[in-house]
Amino acid sequence: MKTNTILTGDRPTGKLHIGHYLGSLKNRVKLQNEGKYKMLIMIADMQAFTDNARNPEKVRNSLIQVALDYLSVGIDPNKTNILVQSQIPALSELTMYYLDLVSVSRLERNPTVKSEIKQKSFGQSIPAGFLTYPVSQTADITAFKADTVPVGDDQEPMMEQAREIVRTFNNTYNVDTLVEPEGYFPPKGQGRLPGIDGNAKMSKSLGNCIYLSDPADVVTKKVMSMYTDPDHIHVEDPGKIEGNTVFTYLDAFATDKEKVAELKEQYQAGGLGDVKVKRYLNDVLQEILEPIRNRRAEYEKDLPGVYDILKKGSDAANVVANQTLKEVRQAIGVNYFD
């Protein structure tokens, strides 16, 4: 029976937060433990450099933080290969070959790229590496012949571009060397989480996150400051659920759905204060985050051991990527000395 290969990962630009946990990390652990897939998780430091090239320490420091986050949520290096993008030289050569198969105008039309360029306010100073990162991402995916790539809904244009490059390569050189990947999307309702300030997106740059590594008292402080219904001034006032971040988080994280339904009913009728709802949310989040914090604390005692996990994962990934590169060179005809 065929074993599907999954590749996923994150840019190391800071610690991971509960939005990452809900949208991807929780599902990665589930897929890992099902044992049906060959799992690779990449810390995409080269992609992080596309808009942080002048701040290498940020990327370097974030790399170990992301690794700790992975291990603390339950990513098991005995079941999942955790690797570092920059330590796989074949990816850069594959990217160069693929760049010649895609036009600048096609990259500029990619909706995900357009959106992120606008968000980062590059203007006319778009780093070339940022514009071409869908090509780099295709190299990442195809190097390991991943056929399944867990992504958010907003990443579907990236997946389509990867499939285009794969088809173009295989058709141009009349081979079936590269595998077309498919996106694996999070279950409905487990997409992007709003920030604690009510902003539509939880973002490190906006400072509206609850991090997986936050101490218990910091989590409590953040929860108690969360955006609710600005018109719910007095306890007896009827409150709104829509756009109320506290209830959005309860829907996402609370397992006792009947309790949440009761709280919503009371809140909308009047007679339930924000503080009581926030205290319940705090209890819910602390129950999830405490074992994550505890595991992280254990791994933090042996950081050289964490780097060793990353090195072993990268070494194993190099074997696979180098074999794919050999096949790509053969398809193109640049294996002059073989």
Side-chain angles (χ1 to χ4, degrees):
M1 189 176 74
K2 181 179 181 292
T3 300
N4 292 77
T5 298
I6 286 179
L7 176 74
T8 184
D10 300 277
R11 287 162 32 106
T13 55
K15 295 178 179 180
L16 302 182
H17 51 65
I18 60 172
H20 294 116
Y21 178 77
L22 182 71
S24 60
L25 297 176
K26 183 179 178 182
N27 197 45
R28 290 178 196 173
V29 174
K30 174 178 172 289
L31 292 170
Q32 163 195 272
N33 293 337
E34 285 177 358
K36 300 176 184 176
Y37 306 92
K38 179 181 178 182
M39 290 275 295
L40 299 99
I41 299 183
M42 172 184 287
I43 304 181
D45 57 334
M46 291 174 73
Q47 284 191 19
F49 279 123
T50 61
D51 56 334
N52 290 281
R54 291 170 177 79
N55 191 4
E57 279 306 303
K58 175 184 176 182
V59 177
R60 181 179 178 84
N61 293 337
S62 296
L63 183 135
I64 190 66
Q65 297 301 327
V66 169
L68 287 167
D69 285 330
Y70 286 166
L71 296 167
S72 68
V73 300
I75 298 297
D76 183 348
N78 294 313
K79 298 177 181 178
T80 296
N81 186 339
I82 307 174
L83 59 133
V84 180
Q85 186 182 32
S86 63
Q87 304 307 299
I88 318 297
L91 300 179
S92 297
E93 187 171 341
L94 289 172
T95 299
M96 287 300 299
Y97 294 138
Y98 298 166
L99 278 169
D100 296 325
L101 300 175
V102 63
S103 68
V104 172
S105 62
R106 174 63 183 93
L107 290 168
E108 290 175 334
R109 289 198 309 272
N110 185 307
T112 305
V113 174
K114 285 171 68 175
S115 173
E116 294 188 7
I117 285 173
K118 183 178 180 181
Q119 178 189 327
K120 293 181 183 296
S121 302
F122 285 133
Q124 295 300 309
S125 302
I126 306 166
F130 192 88
L131 180 65
T132 60
Y133 85 78
V135 185
S136 169
Q137 193 172 63
T138 303
D140 299 337
I141 296 166
T142 58
F144 307 108
K145 301 199 173 175
D147 50 22
T148 308
V149 184
V151 289
D153 292 336
D154 61 334
Q155 292 293 307
E156 175 55 29
M158 304 290 281
M159 296 305 303
E160 181 53 38
Q161 183 131 45
R163 287 189 289 269
E164 284 179 17
I165 293 171
V166 167
R167 288 193 291 267
T168 301
F169 181 92
N170 287 344
N171 291 336
T172 299
Y173 302 111
N174 196 27
V175 293
D176 59 0
T177 303
L178 303 184
V179 176
E180 278 195 46
E182 291 295 331
Y184 181 100
F185 299 97
K188 194 166 183 177
Q190 291 190 16
R192 188 161 283 178
L193 199 67
I196 61 174
D197 57 357
N199 190 289
K201 180 183 178 183
M202 178 176 282
S203 165
K204 289 172 279 192
S205 60
L206 295 175
N208 59 0
C209 307
I210 295 175
Y211 293 100
L212 295 171
S213 55
D214 278 343
D217 60 331
V218 173
V219 173
T220 300
K221 184 177 179 181
K222 288 181 177 180
V223 170
M224 299 311 289
S225 70
M226 283 177 73
Y227 179 85
T228 56
D229 174 7
D231 297 323
H232 186 245
I233 299 168
H234 306 291
V235 172
E236 62 271 16
D237 293 339
K240 290 194 288 290
I241 302 300
E242 298 77 17
N244 189 319
T245 306
V246 176
F247 282 103
T248 303
Y249 278 44
L250 283 174
D251 284 336
F253 293 105
T255 55
D256 190 343
K257 301 304 180 186
E258 288 186 13
K259 169 84 170 176
V260 174
E262 289 174 10
L263 290 173
K264 285 182 177 180
E265 189 176 341
Q266 292 175 33
Y267 192 82
Q268 289 173 308
L272 178 61
D274 289 329
V275 170
K276 185 173 181 179
V277 185
K278 288 178 177 180
R279 282 176 179 162
Y280 177 59
L281 173 60
N282 183 58
D283 291 342
V284 167
L285 292 179
Q286 298 288 7
E287 185 176 353
I288 294 169
L289 292 173
E290 184 178 5
I292 293 174
R293 282 193 296 260
N294 291 342
R295 279 193 294 266
R296 185 188 182 93
E298 288 303 308
Y299 280 109
E300 283 179 329
K301 294 176 183 176
D302 182 19
L303 291 183
V306 175
Y307 278 109
D308 190 51
I309 289 170
L310 298 180
K311 185 178 186 306
K312 286 179 179 176
S314 300
D315 288 345
N318 265 314
V319 174
V320 180
N322 286 338
Q323 176 58 35
T324 300
L325 178 59
K326 182 179 179 180
E327 294 170 13
V328 165
R329 285 175 172 173
Q330 185 175 3
I332 299 171
V334 294
N335 55 336
Y336 306 118
F337 308 123
D338 289 352

